[in-house]
Amino acid sequence: MIRNTSNGWGSVSRWLHWILALAILAMIGFGWWMNHVPARPDRFFYRSIHADIGYVILLLTVLRLVWRAVNPTPAMPPETSRWQKIAAHVSHGALYLVVILVAMLGWAHSGARTPDYSDFFGLFHVPQFTSPDRAAAGAYEDRHILFAYVLLALIAIHVIAALWHHFIRRDRVVARMVTDDVG
């Protein structure tokens, strides 16, 4: 099934989930690596690639939110308590919000630095919404890094909750994000 149902996630939702999950984790690791290796002559190249993938993550996140808005969200298992449903909604909302915030702060950093990271894989230039300003670039970068760590913490909570659903509750919540077969 391509679209979501009241019982399970469709293939588009599942693919977007896993592509974004892998890309975001890779970007956090790549970003950490870029900021913890000694200065190198090819540092701009690696930061440009990081920015390009960040633009893709932002676009895919927006597409995922649009897809989610036009598709039903699978219901939680009937035995799920009210506080758990609220926690799930809040944590998912926080994940989307912080992914977008991290990407937007990275984009703001790009436009505020000289030279910027607007050259998208050599294909075209991504419009920048900030102006060159060295102090602002540093502030955007600091916040980008801070919220990347916040995002990492939210991902850890998400994974722990998934493991709890899978191994403790055994309620097939995780299985719905892995396969069409939710029976």
Side-chain angles (χ1 to χ4, degrees):
M1 80 185 149
I2 292 175
R3 296 181 60 96
N4 302 346
T5 67
S6 59
N7 296 324
W9 297 101
S11 58
V12 172
S13 293
R14 287 192 323 272
W15 276 101
L16 285 171
H17 174 271
W18 291 110
I19 289 168
L20 281 166
L22 293 173
I24 290 166
L25 287 172
M27 284 287 278
I28 290 172
F30 188 52
W32 185 89
W33 174 81
M34 285 187 321
N35 286 319
H36 289 87
V37 295
R40 305 163 44 128
D42 55 359
R43 185 174 191 169
F44 182 83
F45 170 77
Y46 290 115
R47 287 178 169 253
S48 293
I49 296 299
H50 183 80
D52 293 345
I53 296 169
Y55 297 133
V56 172
I57 287 172
L58 179 60
L59 176 62
L60 289 176
T61 301
V62 170
L63 289 174
R64 184 164 185 217
L65 285 169
V66 168
W67 185 255
R68 187 173 173 135
V70 299
N71 277 272
T73 300
M76 295 292 287
E79 65 276 6
T80 305
S81 68
R82 179 168 157 64
W83 77 265
Q84 290 170 329
K85 289 177 182 176
I86 292 169
H89 288 294
V90 169
S91 65
H92 284 106
L95 276 167
Y96 287 122
L97 177 67
V98 175
V99 166
I100 291 169
L101 181 60
V102 169
M104 293 301 294
L105 286 166
W107 192 357
H109 171 252
S110 170
R113 74 175 308 283
T114 305
D116 63 29
Y117 304 117
S118 65
D119 185 27
F120 187 77
F121 293 111
L123 301 172
F124 59 88
H125 287 277
V126 175
Q128 302 297 296
F129 63 91
T130 55
S131 301
D133 180 329
R134 187 180 187 129
Y140 289 133
E141 184 177 30
D142 290 345
R143 285 163 182 80
H144 175 72
I145 292 167
L146 170 68
F147 282 101
Y149 283 114
V150 170
L151 179 57
L152 188 59
L154 289 170
I155 291 167
I157 292 167
H158 186 71
V159 169
I160 290 166
L163 293 170
W164 179 75
H165 276 284
H166 187 73
F167 292 109
I168 307 297
R169 296 230 17 220
R170 299 180 187 269
D171 59 12
R172 310 254 327 131
V173 166
V174 176
R176 298 186 311 183
M177 192 47 82
V178 177
T179 181
D180 278 334
D181 178 27
V182 294

